[in-house]
Amino acid sequence: MCGIVGCVTAGDEAPRILISSLKRLEYRGYDSAGLAILGDGEIETMREVGKLANLENSLGDKSIGGSTGLGHTRWATHGRPTEVNAHPHRDGSGRIVVVHNGIIENYRELRAELREKGHVFASDTDSEVIAHLVQSNFDGDLTDAVAQSIRRLKGAYAIGVMHADRPELIVGARKDCPLVVGLGEGANFLASDVTAVMDQTNRVVYLGDEEIATIRRETLEIRKLSGEAVDYTPTTISWSLAQAERGGYPHFMLKEIHEQPTVVSDTLLGRLDEDKGEIRLEELAIDDEILKGIKRVNIIACGTSWHAGHVAKFYIEQLARIPVDVDYASELRYRDPVLEEGGLVIAISQSGETADTIAAMRMAAKAGCKVVGVCNVIGSTIVREADGTIMTHAGPEIGVASTKAFVSQLVALLLFSLKLGRVRGVLSEGDIRKHCQRLRQLPHAVEAALQSEAHVREVALKYVSAQDFLFIGRGVNYPIALEGALKLKEISYIHAEGYPAGELKHGPIALLDEKLPVVAICTESTIYDKIVTNVEEARVRDAKMIVIASAGDDAIQEVADDVIYVPRMDELLSPIVNVVPLQLLSYFVARERGCDVDQPRNLAKSVTVE
Ligand code: M6R
């Protein structure tokens, strides 16, 4: 789980460019960072443990310049986060350097083989083996040497390679880890994702699996492992750089929470057709006839995306009357699941690069299922491999805790469920029209939910010292309780659990006392009375009740210690609004506890390894 960057420019600018690119990739890993700069026939490397700022500080003390370079920000998988294990890694001659993201599963065998040939290894990493392999295959042509080396690798990789005797050249390659080439004016770039090259260029080429890029200042050649040239077309990125930066907020997470009204609008844009009573999802690319015949839906995802999957189960079952199973991708891939030919699998992933989700998706495709990817990153593996996609249009999400991407997933999944319902005749044109009208109000409702920010902050300050939290909800808001708990635990390190409120009395009620804050989602719904009863059950056991309620529900104050009001919503849309105060609550609790909100310990934004 790392970020890699590279550049081939003119002059001495490589260190400055690489540091600025790495800053946008810190979300991918931040336990150590390093640079390799090629100038005057020598490669100079610098590596520092800890955040990128440490590398930047020590670079400030030195006068390193060069036109070509590689950079890396690491999240350790093999070998502790030490200077020796930080990238870039060199071969024995010191002339070749490599940066790597991913895991080389057969590195032990390769290392043993290379040791027998006299190679001496300096680190505990799996990555170093790549530098030695390239050196052992180098016969004057760096691209050939990389091609021969990656044939030997088992596992996942995105790599950047440089040779001291080959100025103004870097070679990149990937398999199951993301890698893009940025095309500039008289300069070209390599990076794990587009945000890293966006201050240099908005023209990028996404490398495919087992493709090798030979990058020079003015040219880019891509070839397959077979040697066949790849005819590529650059993609123009429409995200502005400002979109990818903090925009004046203290943290990306808060900025991203505030972007949600726009994100909801963007995800709806061009997809609601009231005139025809239709939902338009063009990139879905699966015939209505096929959608009509679906007997079962399997949803696969991880983390927050899995919670979106549970909301989608509710949507699809209610609106399209198709049974839905929701699985953790990491579980499904090691089961012997019943995935039938003609079944529909929905892979939900913000990044589109989550290793478990990709593996489960491939399993489903092999079994003959149609796969729809619900994804936020154009050009990502899931988007490329799925039969059809529904892009979520949340823009780049930098905070490790997913917020706006989750909300955009819910909107996209609701649109898909409505489409399924219409195609299958469960919903009429008139029904779709009514849903469209409600959906058009949704950005305003999310905006209104954000108005609770100051009050949520006051509530957060009251409970900032709690050791544990319980989140409860029912029906379509049960997954929102799970999401509230996940958000709080990942950024504040407070233990939190999400539960269906009706399950309290089957166990967790034993935990309740005056020290336990319980966050209850208690907005208007068909089962409102049931959840109010659950709130009362908890209250009489002295738990501190923080209740999310619909505007105008004054009666709820009698059973709550704190009430956070959200706009009154149709039940199906309520999760999209109710999650907003929960995101703010976890944000303010974590901020008050002095936690690193955007880069919580032990977590990485994109989990590209198992
Ligand atoms: O990119 P993905 O949506 O596939 O990521 C899945 C999870 O890793 C992710 O949602 C994770 O749980 C986040 N840290 C949640 O905030």
Side-chain angles (χ1 to χ4, degrees):
M1 184 81 52
C2 308
I4 71 176
V5 294
C7 67
V8 191
T9 67
D12 274 342
E13 287 295 281
R16 183 193 60 76
I17 292 171
L18 293 173
I19 290 281
S20 127
S21 299
L22 283 175
K23 281 184 181 159
R24 300 215 175 78
L25 290 186
E26 266 203 296
Y27 72 90
R28 297 181 65 85
Y30 34 81
D31 60 37
S32 59
L35 284 184
I37 304 297
L38 172 54
D40 293 335
E42 291 299 326
I43 294 176
E44 188 145 0
T45 51
M46 294 187 56
R47 304 182 297 187
E48 292 290 341
V49 172
K51 293 205 167 183
L52 185 61
N54 298 349
L55 181 70
E56 198 177 5
N57 288 342
S58 54
L59 184 66
D61 304 337
K62 301 194 174 86
S63 58
I64 298 181
S67 64
T68 307
L70 295 169
H72 190 271
T73 175
R74 179 168 187 251
W75 186 78
T77 53
H78 291 77
R80 295 181 60 74
T82 59
E83 199 247 319
V84 136
N85 287 334
H87 299 220
H89 290 289
R90 287 180 189 258
D91 73 311
S93 72
R95 309 294 288 164
I96 293 170
V97 292
V98 168
V99 287
H100 167 228
N101 167 39
I103 288 182
I104 306 303
E105 285 171 358
N106 60 337
Y107 81 102
R108 286 193 184 82
E109 295 92 294
L110 291 170
R111 194 167 58 186
E113 182 186 312
L114 288 158
R115 270 186 180 140
E116 285 211 346
K117 292 183 186 160
H119 289 255
V120 177
F121 287 80
S123 75
D124 306 322
T125 65
D126 53 335
S127 311
E128 190 188 353
V129 80
I130 305 170
H132 290 263
L133 259 185
V134 173
Q135 193 263 323
S136 69
N137 288 313
F138 185 69
D139 194 13
D141 185 323
L142 190 58
T143 308
D144 279 349
V146 170
Q148 286 182 52
S149 303
I150 62 177
R151 277 199 188 98
R152 301 289 320 278
L153 303 180
K154 288 196 184 134
Y157 57 82
I159 56 173
V161 186
M162 207 165 66
H163 194 303
D165 300 335
R166 295 290 176 273
E168 298 197 351
L169 169 70
I170 53 179
V171 177
R174 58 151 273 175
K175 181 173 169 285
D176 296 335
C177 285
L179 197 60
V180 296
V181 178
L183 301 175
E185 295 295 326
N188 286 323
F189 310 90
L190 182 72
S192 293
D193 90 29
V194 290
T195 54
V197 299
M198 272 167 57
D199 56 355
Q200 305 296 333
T201 180
N202 64 352
R203 288 176 68 234
V204 300
V205 177
Y206 293 95
L207 288 189
D209 262 354
E210 297 191 325
E211 287 180 353
I212 304 153
T214 305
I215 306 162
R216 296 192 169 83
R217 214 155 65 74
E218 304 278 358
T219 60
L220 165 67
E221 284 162 36
I222 303 180
R223 69 184 221 194
K224 294 187 179 161
L225 208 45
S226 61
E228 187 191 333
V230 174
D231 207 8
Y232 58 83
T233 311
T235 304
T236 302
I237 301 296
S238 54
W239 293 349
S240 69
L241 192 54
Q243 259 181 299
E245 290 174 343
R246 263 197 291 276
Y249 288 95
H251 296 98
F252 280 111
M253 183 180 175
L254 189 59
K255 170 179 175 268
E256 288 160 3
I257 290 172
H258 277 270
E259 283 170 357
Q260 292 179 122
T262 312
V263 164
V264 172
S265 298
D266 289 350
T267 307
L268 292 174
L269 201 72
R271 289 169 163 173
L272 306 178
D273 188 340
E274 280 103 326
D275 291 343
K276 292 197 180 140
E278 253 179 43
I279 301 293
R280 281 200 256 129
L281 295 171
E282 267 134 35
E283 62 302 38
L284 184 60
I286 298 181
D287 276 358
D288 286 0
E289 278 311 304
I290 294 180
L291 295 178
K292 243 188 220 172
I294 288 163
K295 300 263 177 311
R296 174 155 223 103
V297 173
N298 284 82
I299 296 180
I300 48 176
C302 302
T304 285
S305 298
W306 184 81
H307 297 154
H310 273 278
V311 176
K313 173 182 167 72
F314 196 96
Y315 287 165
I316 296 171
E317 290 186 345
Q318 178 164 327
L319 297 169
R321 307 303 297 153
I322 312 174
V324 180
D325 288 324
V326 187
D327 268 288
Y328 283 120
S330 55
E331 284 296 314
L332 181 118
R333 67 181 289 195
Y334 291 114
R335 276 211 323 265
D336 187 10
V338 183
L339 294 167
E340 284 164 7
E341 182 142 12
L344 180 75
V345 168
I346 306 177
I348 310 172
S349 172
Q350 182 283 131
S351 61
E353 299 294 350
T354 298
D356 285 319
T357 310
I358 293 170
M361 176 181 106
R362 286 178 180 161
M363 234 171 109
K366 214 168 158 194
C369 300
K370 283 277 174 210
V371 179
V372 173
V374 175
C375 202
N376 192 38
V377 181
I378 300 172
S380 63
T381 304
I382 290 180
V383 171
R384 288 201 315 274
E385 294 191 14
D387 295 295
T389 48
I390 307 172
M391 296 308 299
T392 51
H393 302 312
E397 188 178 66
I398 307 296
V400 165
S402 186
T403 52
K404 64 174 182 171
F406 175 67
V407 156
S408 69
Q409 287 168 345
L410 298 185
V411 174
L413 288 160
L414 178 53
L415 290 173
F416 182 51
S417 312
L418 289 168
K419 181 174 174 74
L420 275 179
R422 178 70 199 109
V423 166
R424 296 166 71 85
V426 181
L427 301 174
S428 67
E429 279 178 22
D431 293 330
I432 296 288
R433 260 182 219 115
K434 272 189 216 134
H435 282 287
C436 288
Q437 281 155 11
R438 289 184 199 132
L439 277 164
R440 290 210 186 273
Q441 297 311 311
L442 190 56
H444 309 293
V446 175
E447 187 71 64
L450 284 165
Q451 302 306 314
S452 66
E453 179 170 340
H455 178 54
V456 176
R457 183 166 177 269
E458 280 170 21
V459 175
L461 297 189
K462 276 174 73 175
Y463 299 101
V464 81
S465 311
Q467 305 273 313
D468 305 277
F469 266 82
L470 193 60
F471 288 72
I472 55 172
R474 292 190 81 142
V476 73
N477 279 298
Y478 156 54
I480 300 305
L482 297 178
E483 175 60 8
L486 176 66
K487 223 69 317 167
L488 185 72
K489 74 183 119 185
E490 70 181 334
I491 63 168
S492 73
Y493 318 140
I494 296 175
H495 167 244
E497 276 190 70
Y499 247 91
E503 276 290 303
L504 270 188
K505 59 177 86 60
H506 299 288
I509 204 161
L511 297 170
L512 301 182
D513 64 17
E514 71 291 348
K515 293 200 285 301
L516 184 74
V518 177
V519 181
I521 304 164
C522 203
T523 48
E524 270 179 3
S525 74
T526 46
I527 45 168
Y528 173 79
D529 293 339
K530 303 277 175 209
I531 183 144
V532 172
T533 306
N534 301 138
V535 169
E536 281 170 343
E537 283 162 7
R539 181 81 197 282
V540 297
R541 274 135 188 120
D542 295 333
K544 296 281 176 259
M545 298 307 303
I546 304 164
V547 176
I548 311 297
S550 300
D553 184 356
D554 296 335
I556 200 75
Q557 294 185 9
E558 284 174 27
V559 290
D561 292 275
D562 294 281
V563 182
I564 299 169
Y565 285 110
V566 289
R568 297 177 68 174
M569 298 302 297
D570 173 79
E571 189 172 357
L572 283 182
L573 298 182
S574 64
I576 300 166
V577 165
N578 292 346
V579 75
V580 174
L582 302 189
Q583 296 166 340
L584 288 167
L585 184 72
S586 56
Y587 171 76
F588 286 117
V589 169
R591 191 167 105 177
E592 194 59 26
R593 288 166 74 102
C595 299
D596 190 344
V597 173
D598 284 333
Q599 295 181 342
R601 69 185 181 204
N602 306 334
L603 289 178
K605 180 71 185 162
S606 179
V607 186
T608 55
V609 292
E610 228 193 293

